Amino acid sequence: MTELIPAPRSATAGSGEVRLTHRSRLCADTATQGVAHWLGAALRQATGLPLREGRELDDAEGGIELRLAPGLGPEEYRLVSDGSGVLVEGGSAAGVFWGAQTLRQLLGPDAYRRAPLDRDRAWSVPRLTIEDAPRFRWRGLMLDVARHFMPKEGVLRYLDLMAAHKLNVFHFHLTDDQGWRIEIERHPRLTEIGSWRARTKTGHRASPLWEDKPHGGYYTRDDIREIVAYAAERHITVVPEIDVPGHSQAAIAAYPELGNTDVIDTTSLSVWDTWGINPNVLAPTDNTLRFYEGVFEEVLELFPSQFVHVGGDECPKDQWRRSETAQARIRELGLADEDELQSWFIKHFDAWLSARGRRLIGWDEILEGGLAEGAAVSSWRGYAGGVAAARAGHDVVMCPEQQVYLDHRQDPGPEEPVPIGWVRTLEDVYRFEPVPPELTPEEARHVLGTQANLWTEVVEDHARVDYQAFPRLAAFAEVAWSALPAPAERDFAGFQSRMAAHYGRLDALGVAYRPPAGPLPWQRRPGVLGRPIDGPPPHR
């Protein structure tokens, strides 16, 4: 009946349809005016209807009414279309916004276009009642803009695509060995030097191919403000990631004193042009701590998010083992080893952020050497880190690479472009379960939600991001939003049937998704070496 994605909690059909005409109005109370402005702008450009805004509907004209309903949960909504028009009510403006997204789907794929195809066509929605609410409060997408930069307009576009799928956390991976993407006023060389590299490896790091031209870019402070504001209008929280103490060669190239200068000549380092785990990590010195405190001070000015992601992953310890400075710090602090040194580094910023009313979140390596008190964990190396963190009373976002890394290949066929990792089909993602069954109900309450991650080492532009993300992000969105049965019992055939309509929406939005029959000729990358992993991925 509705062909909605993600599937709502309940949908009850009525008889007939509700027409929207040139006389229809769009009405909102004070709390939902922002949603009304967004919905009105989206529908006016797609339909050509004026949809004049007002405070209440005229029974003779009908239209759309948006309002709060105090009895509903914060992101819960109710959509009723009947003889008086369409009513969308929610427990907050966010709930109303998600209901407005459902209304847009009910209007059909052409409601996603930027201009009307036919100004004389009739617009209608079926008469029905939908009651809906999300399963998880963290429904995220991580986008890596450090390996391959995505210009601001592309980021804004992805916020719109997230909103259309009721995803509400944008994890913004801003720094890595291959590029620093955020302007920091007190440390200008981070972008002057760290935001671009001289060349780029094409394909996996074993590939013999290179693109011999500079690559780079960064977001100014005003760009960041715009992105955060644009996301907020769509009830999406932007969680910034500034990587420490590993994945930091771009920063060290800009400021060599941040590296382990007693082990290597850090002045010879440039922004890294290839992929993999980099041995050049931050020195555990007071100077490094003060430098990054300055970075995070500016980050907190720009991002109101409760959470700040500090990375904490893939930090090789070899330089610390050889560094007298690092060893002296281990002795000074009474630490057992380099793992505990990394834990000390993360705990420092956990306390620093907590003192400013924020919360640290990091990849599950922050468990090594002792979990930072108050920190939350992004569990990427399978479920184990998330299980350990939840059992220790820490909040968790489940994003295991074996299940929801969207840079991994979608099919075992030879035509898949630059194949990376395990095969993760649309059905595989649809059957992903974020809450490990071994957790007790009390422990499971620490699972804030789930997130799909899209790394861009071999994903060089927005068309390749689209190809890797869709249609799997639609399946993931349903996993994150809808109260689905156990993985083996999920109706994938029914989801595929609804996807048949959803492909039309993606077409109208200009999304270069992977077609069900396989990549189109221009989506293939013949001759570019990837890193496929054979066999099914480990479940845990």
Side-chain angles (χ1 to χ4, degrees):
M1 176 188 65
T2 59
E3 298 176 321
L4 297 175
I5 290 177
R9 182 173 64 196
S10 70
T12 305
S15 177
E17 61 184 22
V18 174
R19 294 279 298 274
L20 296 180
T21 71
H22 283 79
R23 299 179 61 196
S24 298
R25 297 175 67 86
L26 174 58
C27 299
D29 58 20
T30 301
T32 60
Q33 281 184 339
V35 181
H37 294 332
W38 173 85
L39 181 62
L43 295 187
R44 287 186 197 103
Q45 69 177 4
T47 67
L49 300 177
L51 292 175
R52 298 183 308 280
E53 294 186 22
R55 284 292 184 176
E56 57 184 39
L57 289 182
D58 183 324
D59 290 340
E61 296 176 339
I64 302 165
E65 182 178 2
L66 311 176
R67 70 186 185 199
L68 296 189
L72 299 179
E75 292 189 279
E76 188 174 6
Y77 71 89
R78 182 186 302 116
L79 187 155
V80 180
S81 57
D82 56 22
S84 60
V86 179
L87 170 65
V88 180
E89 50 188 359
S92 69
V96 175
F97 182 74
W98 304 129
Q101 293 289 353
T102 296
L103 172 59
R104 196 181 185 193
Q105 288 199 22
L106 292 171
L107 286 165
D110 287 343
Y112 291 84
R113 296 191 180 277
R114 296 189 181 184
L117 302 185
D118 179 359
R119 290 188 176 274
D120 295 324
R121 71 166 284 178
W123 291 91
S124 65
V125 297
R127 293 194 180 189
L128 45 63
T129 298
I130 293 174
E131 295 184 336
D132 201 7
R135 180 185 179 190
F136 294 110
R137 62 187 177 101
W138 186 301
R139 307 180 301 278
L141 171 67
M142 190 288 304
L143 183 60
D144 167 24
V145 297
R147 273 54 175 270
H148 278 98
F149 179 65
M150 178 178 282
K152 180 192 67 177
E153 288 302 317
V155 175
L156 300 179
R157 174 176 176 267
Y158 255 81
L159 292 169
D160 280 329
L161 292 173
M162 288 178 64
H165 292 83
K166 299 185 173 70
L167 299 173
N168 70 339
V169 177
F170 179 56
H171 176 166
F172 205 9
H173 183 82
L174 288 163
T175 73
D176 219 295
D177 299 302
Q178 295 86 0
W180 185 283
R181 305 296 179 213
I182 176 173
E183 178 186 21
I184 302 296
E185 285 186 331
R186 72 190 70 186
H187 302 308
R189 294 207 304 273
L190 287 171
T191 47
E192 290 171 2
I193 295 172
S195 69
W196 67 275
R197 56 183 181 263
R199 64 174 188 169
T200 300
K201 173 70 72 173
T202 299
H204 184 250
R205 57 183 176 270
S207 168
L209 305 176
W210 294 87
E211 183 179 42
D212 287 308
K213 70 176 185 180
H215 175 86
Y218 67 92
Y219 309 102
T220 68
R221 289 167 59 86
D222 283 346
D223 289 339
I224 294 292
R225 292 186 182 100
E226 180 181 356
I227 288 167
V228 169
Y230 195 85
E233 289 177 349
R234 288 146 183 79
H235 299 275
I236 295 170
T237 299
V238 183
V239 175
E241 180 178 353
I242 305 295
D243 254 310
V244 296
H247 288 286
S248 297
Q249 183 162 318
I252 297 169
Y255 292 92
E257 65 272 21
L258 296 174
N260 294 284
T261 57
D262 58 344
V263 174
I264 64 165
D265 177 13
T266 56
T267 63
S268 68
L269 296 178
S270 58
V271 177
W272 212 26
D273 56 13
T274 189
W275 320 120
I277 299 176
N278 191 308
N280 296 304
V281 303
L282 297 174
T285 63
D286 289 340
N287 174 67
T288 300
L289 297 181
R290 300 295 88 77
F291 183 96
Y292 273 87
E293 286 171 0
V295 169
F296 282 116
E297 282 179 7
E298 295 195 29
V299 168
L300 298 192
E301 290 173 14
L302 295 169
F303 295 91
S305 165
Q306 177 191 16
F307 287 97
V308 175
H309 207 291
V310 301
D313 62 314
E314 296 181 330
C315 178
K317 310 297 192 301
D318 181 64
Q319 289 184 359
W320 288 353
R321 292 186 186 97
R322 295 187 289 125
S323 165
E324 179 51 39
T325 300
Q327 293 303 310
R329 176 123 279 183
I330 289 174
R331 292 191 297 270
E332 170 198 339
L333 297 169
L335 304 177
D337 55 22
E338 291 77 19
D339 283 344
E340 287 196 6
L341 184 61
Q342 177 172 346
S343 180
W344 164 82
F345 202 107
I346 297 298
K347 285 178 178 177
H348 174 87
F349 286 103
D350 178 43
W352 190 91
L353 289 167
S354 295
R356 289 154 181 80
R358 307 297 184 97
R359 290 186 65 189
L360 179 146
I361 186 168
W363 302 110
D364 56 52
E365 283 93 334
I366 67 173
L367 293 162
E368 298 169 2
L371 188 64
E373 184 179 353
V377 171
S378 300
S379 187
W380 75 274
R381 295 181 297 177
Y383 289 87
V387 170
R391 284 178 173 167
H394 292 265
D395 289 337
V396 178
V397 175
M398 298 303 300
C399 48
E401 67 167 329
Q402 301 90 336
Q403 312 297 327
V404 288
Y405 267 33
L406 299 183
D407 47 305
H408 284 201
R409 56 194 173 131
Q410 303 181 62
D411 187 90
E415 294 181 338
E416 208 62 25
V418 199
I420 296 295
W422 291 285
V423 173
R424 291 287 84 192
T425 66
L426 183 65
E427 181 172 1
D428 290 330
V429 174
Y430 190 67
R431 298 194 189 279
F432 163 60
E433 172 49 48
V435 179
E438 60 264 41
L439 293 181
T440 67
E442 178 63 29
E443 292 165 347
R445 278 193 277 274
H446 286 289
V447 179
L448 299 177
T450 184
Q451 179 173 288
N453 295 339
L454 208 170
W455 302 98
T456 62
E457 287 93 337
V458 300
V459 179
E460 70 279 4
D461 57 30
H462 85 272
R464 284 281 286 123
V465 173
D466 282 4
Y467 181 92
Q468 294 301 134
F470 289 99
R472 293 182 297 180
L473 193 63
F476 173 81
E478 183 147 310
V479 169
W481 177 276
S482 306
L484 298 176
E489 299 168 9
R490 293 177 188 171
D491 181 11
F492 180 66
F495 175 76
Q496 282 184 303
S497 177
R498 286 181 285 121
M499 276 302 301
H502 199 66
Y503 285 121
R505 300 176 190 128
L506 297 179
D507 286 333
L509 286 164
V511 176
Y513 58 85
R514 182 188 190 276
L520 298 168
W522 53 87
Q523 293 174 321
R524 301 168 189 158
R525 295 294 303 277
V528 180
L529 185 66
R531 184 183 58 89
I533 303 175
D534 293 330
H539 185 62
R540 290 288 175 236

